[in-house]
């Protein structure tokens, strides 16, 4: 079910989420609500706190628009429960980020170019994988949400939030 996405002024977005102890039907319902809400909003990632649930769950997916010349490969729907970045590359990349909790607002954020992630999969087994580029950026952004950190907190002092005029 599509849920309302909490906006940046909501204090719940600043709280630290609790670990998921057991993957049960309630957790699976939360995950489905996250998928529905992310897709309905046109986002590439969402974390449970953004729909008002303080659990350590993040999901993401990127599918190029038809006819796009974007060289970024599609990223299948990925569900991470209790995710942790266990390794960061020294190399950083600065790129534009937005957030479903900050509609129409963007900023250039510096993040690790490559990361290693450990999480629980929905099959209740631990997974570990490397991510780079857009996938690494999304994961870091979503894990920040689980820790009560918003992308604006990552702006350098001379960077600004901006919007696009259409």
């Amino acid at each position: 079910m599509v849920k309302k996405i909490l906006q940046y002024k909501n204090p719940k977005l600043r709280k630290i989420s609790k670990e998921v102890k057991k993957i049960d039907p309630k957790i699976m319902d939360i995950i489905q609500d996250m998928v529905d809400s992310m897709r309905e909003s046109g986002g590439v990632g969402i974390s449970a706190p953004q729909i008002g649930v303080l659990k350590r769950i993040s999901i993401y997916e990127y599918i190029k628009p038809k006819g796009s010349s974007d060289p970024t490969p599609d990223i299948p729907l990925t569900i991470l429960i209790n995710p942790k970045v266990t390794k960061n590359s020294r190399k950083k990349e600065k790129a534009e980020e937005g957030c479903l909790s900050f509609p129409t607002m963007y900023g250039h954020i510096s993040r690790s170019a490559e990361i290693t992630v450990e999480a629980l999969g929905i099959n209740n087994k631990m997974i570990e994988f490397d991510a780079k580029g857009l996938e690494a950026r999304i994961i870091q952004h979503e894990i920040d949400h689980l820790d009560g950190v918003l992308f604006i907190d990552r702006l350098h002092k001379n960077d600004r939030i901006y919007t696009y005029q259409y």
Side-chain angles (χ1 to χ4, degrees):
M1 172 187 300
V2 174
K3 299 288 185 178
K4 182 175 172 20
I5 295 173
L6 301 184
Q7 299 302 295
Y8 61 93
K9 291 181 182 175
N10 192 307
K12 217 171 205 179
L13 291 173
R14 292 295 189 174
K15 298 201 181 291
I16 296 173
S17 297
K18 296 189 181 330
E19 280 203 2
V20 173
K21 301 290 185 205
K22 181 180 175 193
I23 300 172
D24 57 21
K26 184 177 178 187
I27 293 298
M28 295 305 291
D29 287 345
I30 292 166
I31 291 168
Q32 187 60 58
D33 291 346
M34 291 170 64
V35 171
D36 295 344
S37 301
M38 177 185 72
R39 288 177 173 165
E40 176 71 20
S41 301
V44 295
I46 193 169
S47 287
Q50 290 180 276
I51 61 164
V53 178
L54 293 175
K55 296 283 186 187
R56 295 190 76 79
I57 307 168
S58 293
I59 67 165
Y60 60 94
E61 172 182 60
Y62 174 74
I63 300 182
K64 272 187 288 240
K66 288 189 185 343
S68 171
S69 60
D70 181 358
T72 306
D74 287 352
I75 302 169
L77 178 65
T78 305
I79 299 158
L80 302 176
I81 300 167
N82 303 329
K84 286 183 236 179
V85 173
T86 57
K87 194 161 105 181
N88 289 301
S89 65
R90 286 193 178 138
K91 181 182 176 193
K92 305 286 185 202
E93 291 178 343
K94 192 172 191 177
E96 182 177 84
E97 281 188 30
C99 180
L100 294 174
S101 294
F102 289 77
T104 74
M105 296 181 198
Y106 302 88
H108 282 84
I109 309 297
S110 180
R111 298 209 185 257
S112 295
E114 296 182 31
I115 59 174
T116 301
V117 181
E118 184 179 278
L120 190 61
I122 57 170
N123 61 359
N124 230 3
K125 293 190 171 143
M126 289 303 292
I127 56 173
E128 184 178 43
F129 62 97
D130 296 324
K132 62 183 179 180
L134 178 62
E135 185 175 22
R137 177 168 296 282
I138 294 168
I139 293 167
Q140 290 169 88
H141 178 108
E142 299 309 333
I143 289 175
D144 275 354
H145 275 296
L146 303 179
D147 294 328
V149 176
L150 302 176
F151 87 107
I152 58 169
D153 301 332
R154 300 276 183 205
L155 286 169
H156 290 294
K157 65 180 177 180
N158 294 329
D159 291 335
R160 299 177 190 269
I161 291 285
Y162 53 89
T163 62
Y164 289 109
Q165 300 297 319
Y166 294 100

